Amino acid sequence: MRIYIGSDHAGYELKNHLAQYLSQNGYDVTDVGPHDFDPEDDYPAFCFHTADAVVNDVEALGIVIGGSGNGEQIAANKVAGCRAALAWSEETARLSRQHNDANVVSLGARMHTLEEAERIVEVFLTEPFSAADRHQRRIDQVTDYEKARQLPPLPH
């Protein structure tokens, strides 16, 4: 499986660790950057490029990493077709794949040990989408809004 991974300065060390860990475990990893530590870098470009790579490679998944993972998830979700989920536990990672068919996971490097981050990412990468009708229907509603930018009527 192809994995695209990007971060900012706060996620730089965890990104490098996970890229190596995933490569050693048989994943085809593309490091979107940064490739050098810069304490003043900004996360949006790295997240946009990571999300764009995933959206344009339907067989791939992505990982974005920052201090908390919040801004990185927000930025990645600005790319049409990206469904980025902030995962703070194995269960949130699992549900993001099962229910939301998330294609990018966002992690907070300051929130987890290396071992916790590895487990969260492994769950995310190995958990399949359930394909339950109710989950697909909801994903389709989000996709329709993303394309049309028209608010749907509220259900009664």
Side-chain angles (χ1 to χ4, degrees):
M1 174 185 289
R2 282 178 303 285
I3 308 298
Y4 296 92
I5 188 169
S7 73
D8 67 355
H9 59 278
Y12 181 76
E13 288 183 25
L14 180 57
K15 175 190 63 80
N16 290 343
H17 173 82
L18 288 173
Q20 181 179 12
Y21 170 81
L22 293 170
S23 292
Q24 290 172 343
N25 284 281
Y27 292 95
D28 176 10
V29 178
T30 298
D31 184 342
V32 176
H35 302 292
D36 297 302
F37 180 77
D38 176 356
E40 299 297 318
D41 69 10
D42 298 318
Y43 61 83
F46 297 110
C47 297
F48 297 151
H49 281 268
T50 301
D52 185 70
V54 170
V55 168
N56 288 297
D57 185 351
V58 296
E59 300 294 318
L61 292 173
I63 303 166
V64 292
I65 308 166
S68 70
N70 285 307
E72 293 73 24
Q73 180 220 21
I74 292 167
N77 277 321
K78 298 302 179 187
V79 174
C82 179
R83 291 180 306 280
L86 176 63
W88 61 89
S89 66
E90 292 178 50
E91 186 64 10
T92 56
R94 182 175 293 107
L95 291 172
S96 77
R97 293 287 300 135
Q98 283 179 357
H99 293 192
N100 310 112
D101 197 18
N103 52 9
V104 172
V105 65
S106 185
L107 293 173
R110 296 177 180 148
M111 308 294 133
H112 306 287
T113 65
L114 294 177
E115 295 77 21
E116 289 169 342
E118 288 171 1
R119 288 194 308 273
I120 290 168
V121 166
E122 275 294 333
V123 168
F124 180 81
L125 297 178
T126 58
E127 188 67 35
F129 174 50
S130 73
D133 289 342
R134 71 183 192 278
H135 298 311
Q136 186 60 58
R137 181 178 67 245
R138 294 164 187 160
I139 292 167
D140 292 343
Q141 290 170 10
V142 171
T143 301
D144 290 346
Y145 174 77
E146 186 176 61
K147 289 178 182 173
R149 294 292 183 199
Q150 296 281 327
L151 291 173
L154 290 172
H156 296 285

